[in-house]
Amino acid sequence: MDVPEDADLQVQRASPDLIVDLHISLEPFLWRTDTAAPAGVRTRRVRRRVRAREADRIVALLEPFQELPQLLDPHLQTLVPILADAFIASLQSKPLKKTSYTKLLIPLSKAICRLLYTFCKIRGEKVIVRFLSTDTKHLELLLSAIEAGDVDAHQDAGAEDARQANEDQVADQWEWEHRYITLLWLSQLLLAPFDLSTLSSLNTDVTPPAISGLLLPTNTPGVTLRVVSLALRYLSSSGKERDAAKILLVRIAMRRDMQALGLLDALIKWSIASFDPPEVSEQTSSYHYIGVLSFLSGILNASLATSDMDGYLGTIFRILQGEWYREVMDVVNRSVVARKAVLTVLRNICVIVLRSPEFMNEMVEVIEITIGTILESLTDSATPVRLAASKSLSVITLKLPTDMATQVVDEVLASLMRDVTVVTRGQEQTQNLSLVNPSEWHGLILTLSQLLYRRSPPASSLCEILPALLAGLSFEQRSTSGASLGTNVRDAACFGIWAIARRYTTSELQAINISKAAIASKHGTKCSILQILATELVVTASLDPAGNIRRGSSAALQELIGRHPNTIEEGIKLVQVVDYHVVALRSRAITEVAVQASRLSIWYLEGILNGLLGWRGIGDPDASARRTTAVVYGNLANLGAVNDLITKFSELKPREDHERHGMLLCVASYYTKHREYESFDIGGVLQYANDTKHRRVDLIAEAVSRLIISVTPTGLKQNDLIIGLLNKWLRRTETEVIEATAEAAFTVVQSLSCERKAAVFSGWIAVITENQGGRSGQDQGILSALFQAFPVAELSQGTIVSAIHRRWNLVHDVESRAAILRYLTSSTALTTNLEEFSDLIIDGLDDYTTTARGDVGSLVRIEALKSTSAILKASSTHCNPELAMKLYSKTLRLAAEKLDKVRVEAQQAVSHILSSNIFPSSLDTSDAFLSYPTTSEPYFRFILNLCFNKPEVHSLGAAELLSGYVGSANTGSEELVRASRAALVAFCLLSEDNSRLICGALVAVLKVNLTNDRVLVPTLEAIAFLFDMQIFQDSGVDWKTLHITVQKSHFKTGNIRKLEAAIHVYGGLGEFYAPAIEKLTTMAIHPFPRVRERVVDTMFVVKGVGKGVNWPKAGKLDLLKLK
Amino acid sequence: MLSILRKARLKDKEMRILMLGLDNAGKTTIVKRIMGEDVNTVSPTLGFIIKTIEYEGYKLNIWDVGGQKTLRSYWRNYFEKTDALIWVVDATDRLRIDDCREELHGLLQEERLSGACLLVFANKTDVNGCMDPEEIREGLQLNAIKTHQWHIIRCSAIASTNLQEGLAWVVQDAKNRLFLF
């Protein structure tokens, strides 16, 4: 139910490091310092290509700032110009040679543009572009570069095959980042305050682009022709460069000299004409229209408060209404981005029209139709369109005369209420929002919020707006598949309340007529509207399932209390409790914020209790959220409220399983906390649970069990019914259910008479011994209950012990074994009856069951290790020395085995052994041991020392330890192999004794495990490894014995890994023991080609013979060549 | 909502200031002095410069455009969304005060500058015999300006006097108008 920590907090902490890293990395990334030159006169040259990985790394340094862009601001001034200068320098340098292409390198210019684009993405292109040089001399350079890059692209697109053959060209092509950055930069350069016609160097012969519908004035300067043709080409592209092309085109069209020349007119006419293409094909790219629309919108935006565009408004408006070119508009309306662009164009038209009253009267029809269109778009299924529509509507409304503005607000409110039905329950009237369209509500509430943000509605209309906002703040719907809808509605409402708090004065808000506004909330008329808002915000901030809503509410609450001091109860304390960062975690928001806020005032307590009983608490689809809810509810509620709850329980509809679960947990939690049961009769609930068929039995089982636990001490009357129910539920497999029912069973059994108890136990024993569990796991609940109830079992204890042993051996299934050990660990039987159960633990420590799922025995081993820890932690007096030694040596083996999670658990167990009184001397080393990571060299060194430096231990333990250790040293992860091997070698090199001990023990392990491949193969490899390290040579092992043992180990085997390991050992042995070489020689014509290959390789290494023969086809005669 | 707030916070406290005036009035020198850069190597601006200054937590984006006669007709390219106009006058240049007045009054007619406030920097007041503010006010007929908030201040970019005070007025005025809430 909780999500990990927030990204913005992380970036705030990490940002200084990231910035420093950026500063350090950029210079060497972009420039190559000429090291040949003497120091002091070193020149630098810009790099041609850079490593793609380094580029990725630097981009990754920037990405985190997306969360808090302002952190970058102080550094833009230095960082962006560094990149820009290098870009210019790389464009000026000679073109790349196309030979040295590898995928690991990318052209520098591409890397720079990627970085600049990342900056733009994070901080906004308008900001970044300010830091680009405005030197006019770059105009020609950039313009030529983008034109050249363009030509490349076209040639390649023409010849797909050529591209395949000529991969290097693909790499050096200009990509969209190049074009995006270059077009942006050009748009900045075109601010130059000169006539473009005077930029003579750029005005060499340029043929005007042939674009249909575009009639450029005859004396257009060359540079304009080039820019316009570029911009128009990319205006129809699908990539990000479209935005930059739009900015460039708007910029050049709005230039004074270009306007005078008639360029603006020409471009507008072209745009209008492009809605009337000679033929409309389905294939016409919608990007073309999106580009044209965004150009129009940009032009209108740039001429907002001016009369530049007055002449065209009507025409553009009618096109967008689809009056003339219906086919084109159909294409447009299919694209979300285009619909959004249409809305912004309409908005800009309206704003221009509204500039002067006379003009407005002339075009009043335009305004009315536009507002109608936007209202329709508020219900659009695409979120960006709704966002644009709500913003547009608020911008327009702000400019409208008062009476029209009021009409708009009324219309929005009316649309909100259209599908709302009012349910009357007694005197209470509640709104039913289940029929409304959540997208529409989102659009409408967002519009209200945007209006409030601009302070458009007069304060007098707030009393109608506020109920809508409050309804929106707790809006939720379930989709047909059960997913929660309406988060965006709550978000919009939160924004609206924030805006109200910010834009309206205290007195305005206090003047609001409560009786009207209180409809939407349950607060009555006693408190002020500010208090109602605060209460609702507290509830949302502590209970809402969505993190950003909780944080949004917290922000709004801060605004509300800060701007309207002394109007809200315990305001300052409330702000401290409902902290922006604390509410980020949901569990913390419920368990801490809700509880602390409730203590501040009855308003918050009532609000939160109500909220807990709603969809944000007991109705939450997430079971863990309901459990948390119940805990908090139990703390806060009083008896009256709980009794109400019990009444409501009977009114629940059959399908409301979540609510039922939540409610029962709430009641249980209350009684656990308060212990005043007289008034409560559990019988009704039990009867209900027994009689009704449930869709989610697990939930009912868990909740009723919790209820039984919470009221048991009073003595229950319905024991038979309860035991019947529990026996049924104990067969379930869900963890939460097992936990709750087993505990309930334990509490109930305690209060039973001896005979009844015995009967219950024998029923349970029958289930586990006769394998009634059926599918594995179905008797886990019973196992848990048996272990919990073991101390009170009295006479039945002996039967239980033998039953559990029978269960252990009955069917070898890993889950049951793990479960038995798990419940044993948490039971007191572990210490009281250790003698009886110790064999299970020892058996568990040796469980290496492997199935198709892999090493599932590790589950059992881990549980057994936990049991071991528990035994030693409790007190070692329970543990006789013989058992202790056994546990110790096995634990040590597991501490060195290859599975990480097993090692971690074993580390704990070993440290418990060290600190217990079995080895009084080693008390102080246990902490040091715990501090080692389990995949590190010191960790393994410690284990080896522990085992071999204690003579009383190693006789028993050495072989045991090494049988686990070889696994780590051979088949573990790379890091593990390295750490364990390094520790082994270091230990052996320490003294000759050490290496003798190790080598001897390895041979012993080999002898014992001749049939156990799991240990055998890694042991052979370990011996071979020690030969390679020149350690085994001095071990004093009898070579003959070793040779024979190894031969036995792979006798008639088909296991290639084993054969390879054996060959490896023979190779080491062969240097000084001739029979090993003979054996190798015979294996050179082994039936398996892989084996032959290894043999010959080994022979070549040992004796330098055997090359020049086709060994896979070799016969017996070829063996002579090995002599 | 959080993204809207975040966006609003980014745009908050950011101002666009246009720095204009006749050539050789000292616009670039003022900008460089405020930025703490070297002012001895200033040459006529043939184009424009954008600088960002942090002032009392406000981010001032100053657009410094060249004042040569040929460039003046392009000033209006930069008017978009301007919050404040800083008009720099060379207080030693009595000859061109009429020219200066005409340019200023022409600017103030522009629709797009209607929302901006006007700060007149009387620069080079460290030179003896320069015009005093009264004289400039007369010469520029500032009293006739009814459409904009205006303020005149003596300063010297070379001696670095009164520059901060000028910015302070701009920020204060903008605070009063723009950041009401």
Side-chain angles (χ1 to χ4, degrees), chain A residues 1022-1042:
Chain A
I1023 292 172
F1025 167 68
L1026 289 179
F1027 269 122
D1028 289 349
M1029 293 289 117
Q1030 303 296 320
I1031 289 171
F1032 218 97
Q1033 281 79 345
D1034 307 324
S1035 62
V1037 170
D1038 177 27
W1039 302 133
K1040 194 174 174 193
T1041 325
L1042 179 64

Side-chain angles (χ1 to χ4, degrees), chain A residues 655-935:
Chain A
R655 63 178 165 75
E656 292 181 303
D657 286 317
H658 292 156
E659 287 80 354
R660 200 171 288 114
H661 177 239
M663 269 190 194
L664 288 177
L665 287 179
C666 281
V667 176
S669 153
Y670 174 78
Y671 284 118
T672 314
K673 174 103 183 151
H674 295 279
R675 311 252 165 228
E676 24 179 295
Y677 324 97
E678 301 77 27
S679 57
F680 180 55
D681 178 24
I682 194 175
V685 176
L686 290 174
Q687 208 61 50
Y688 169 81
N690 194 34
D691 298 350
T692 322
K693 266 204 184 314
H694 299 286
R695 209 159 46 84
R696 296 291 304 271
V697 185
D698 55 327
L699 296 181
I700 280 292
E702 182 200 346
V704 173
S705 301
R706 290 274 166 224
L707 199 59
I708 292 171
I709 298 166
S710 71
V711 297
T712 300
T714 47
L716 294 165
K717 299 177 195 77
Q718 300 87 355
N719 279 336
D720 288 334
L721 183 55
I722 290 180
I723 288 169
L725 281 172
L726 287 180
N727 276 340
K728 200 164 66 189
W729 291 337
L730 279 170
R731 309 293 294 276
R732 298 201 63 84
T733 51
E734 297 88 349
T735 330
E736 289 87 4
V737 179
I738 291 175
E739 217 174 279
T741 49
E743 197 183 335
F746 166 58
T747 42
V748 171
V749 164
Q750 271 180 311
S751 62
L752 293 179
S753 66
C754 267
E755 302 85 67
R756 291 291 309 278
K757 233 190 254 182
V760 171
F761 279 127
S762 62
W764 290 349
I765 286 168
V767 173
I768 62 166
T769 50
E770 287 154 34
N771 193 22
Q772 289 177 13
R775 275 183 307 131
S776 65
Q778 285 199 351
D779 51 4
Q780 289 196 15
I782 291 187
L783 285 170
S784 174
L786 273 176
F787 273 112
Q788 282 195 45
F790 189 77
V792 297
E794 293 150 14
L795 297 174
S796 315
Q797 282 192 352
T799 350
I800 293 179
V801 170
S802 57
I804 285 174
H805 275 90
R806 225 178 309 154
R807 179 74 191 86
W808 179 270
N809 296 316
L810 190 63
V811 197
H812 188 108
D813 89 89
V814 170
E815 275 79 13
S816 300
R817 285 189 164 201
I820 289 174
L821 288 172
R822 186 163 56 241
Y823 300 130
L824 174 64
T825 309
S826 55
S827 157
T828 52
L830 184 67
T831 44
T832 53
N833 297 59
L834 182 59
E835 299 285 300
E836 285 96 329
F837 289 115
S838 60
D839 55 333
L840 297 188
I841 297 174
I842 288 181
D843 208 6
L845 288 171
D846 288 337
D847 194 323
Y848 281 96
T849 314
T850 312
T851 66
R853 278 162 61 203
D855 184 3
V856 286
S858 66
L859 298 173
V860 182
R861 296 204 298 281
I862 288 174
E863 291 301 336
L865 283 169
K866 285 182 181 163
S867 307
T868 312
S869 296
I871 295 171
L872 294 158
K873 217 173 2 178
S875 154
S876 46
T877 48
H878 299 288
C879 192
N880 65 47
E882 190 196 337
L883 175 63
M885 281 327 276
K886 251 189 201 167
L887 288 177
Y888 174 64
S889 59
K890 287 182 190 298
T891 308
L892 217 48
R893 180 193 71 219
L894 294 178
E897 82 147 55
K898 67 174 175 176
L899 282 186
D900 291 353
K901 49 186 183 171
V902 178
R903 277 203 315 283
V904 170
E905 206 56 62
Q907 186 187 27
Q908 296 290 332
V910 169
S911 83
H912 284 303
I913 294 176
L914 291 180
S915 54
S916 74
N917 53 5
I918 303 176
F919 307 111
S921 57
S922 51
L923 207 66
D924 49 334
T925 53
S926 117
D927 286 339
F929 179 57
L930 272 181
S931 69
Y932 299 134
T934 57
T935 311

Side-chain angles (χ1 to χ4, degrees), chain A residues 120 155 184 211 218 250 342 378 502 553 593 713 726 766 802 888 927 960 1062:
Chain A
C120 288
Q155 282 171 349
L184 264 187
I211 292 165
T218 43
V250 170
V342 168
L378 283 176
R502 206 173 160 87
S553 296
V593 177
L726 287 180
S802 57
Y888 174 64
D927 286 339
E960 188 86 54

Side-chain angles (χ1 to χ4, degrees), chain A residues 619-640:
Chain A
D620 200 295
D622 180 356
S624 64
R626 293 198 296 275
R627 288 181 197 116
T628 321
T629 298
V631 173
V632 174
Y633 186 86
N635 281 334
L636 296 178
N638 56 24
L639 191 57

Side-chain angles (χ1 to χ4, degrees), chain A residues 909-1081:
Chain A
V910 169
S911 83
H912 284 303
I913 294 176
L914 291 180
S915 54
S916 74
N917 53 5
I918 303 176
F919 307 111
S921 57
S922 51
L923 207 66
D924 49 334
T925 53
S926 117
D927 286 339
F929 179 57
L930 272 181
S931 69
Y932 299 134
T934 57
T935 311
S936 64
E937 200 195 316
Y939 173 84
F940 283 104
R941 281 250 282 282
F942 187 96
I943 290 178
L944 287 172
N945 277 325
L946 205 58
C947 179
F948 287 97
N949 290 351
K950 290 206 186 335
E952 76 273 18
V953 184
H954 79 244
S955 56
L956 176 72
E960 188 86 54
L961 167 67
L962 284 176
S963 67
Y965 201 112
V966 291
S968 288
N970 182 235
T971 47
S973 66
E974 192 192 333
E975 200 189 345
L976 178 63
V977 169
R978 214 180 301 141
S980 55
R981 286 190 172 189
L984 191 64
V985 171
F987 181 78
C988 289
L989 292 179
L990 220 53
S991 74
E992 209 160 290
D993 280 352
N994 281 358
S995 59
R996 277 172 191 279
L997 282 172
I998 295 275
C999 297
L1002 278 175
V1003 175
V1005 171
L1006 196 62
K1007 278 184 187 156
V1008 176
N1009 288 296
L1010 278 177
T1011 52
N1012 183 0
D1013 285 359
R1014 182 179 60 75
V1015 183
L1016 180 70
V1017 178
T1019 310
L1020 285 171
E1021 286 288 3
I1023 292 172
F1025 167 68
L1026 289 179
F1027 269 122
D1028 289 349
M1029 293 289 117
Q1030 303 296 320
I1031 289 171
F1032 218 97
Q1033 281 79 345
D1034 307 324
S1035 62
V1037 170
D1038 177 27
W1039 302 133
K1040 194 174 174 193
T1041 325
L1042 179 64
H1043 182 67
I1044 291 170
T1045 319
V1046 175
Q1047 276 196 15
K1048 269 191 209 155
S1049 74
H1050 67 88
F1051 182 62
K1052 279 190 176 168
T1053 183
N1055 183 340
I1056 295 215
R1057 280 198 52 226
K1058 201 194 305 192
L1059 283 164
E1060 282 177 347
I1063 292 168
H1064 203 166
V1065 176
Y1066 290 138
L1069 204 50
E1071 284 175 31
F1072 41 82
Y1073 186 68
I1077 294 292
E1078 276 164 33
K1079 176 68 188 167
L1080 270 182
T1081 314

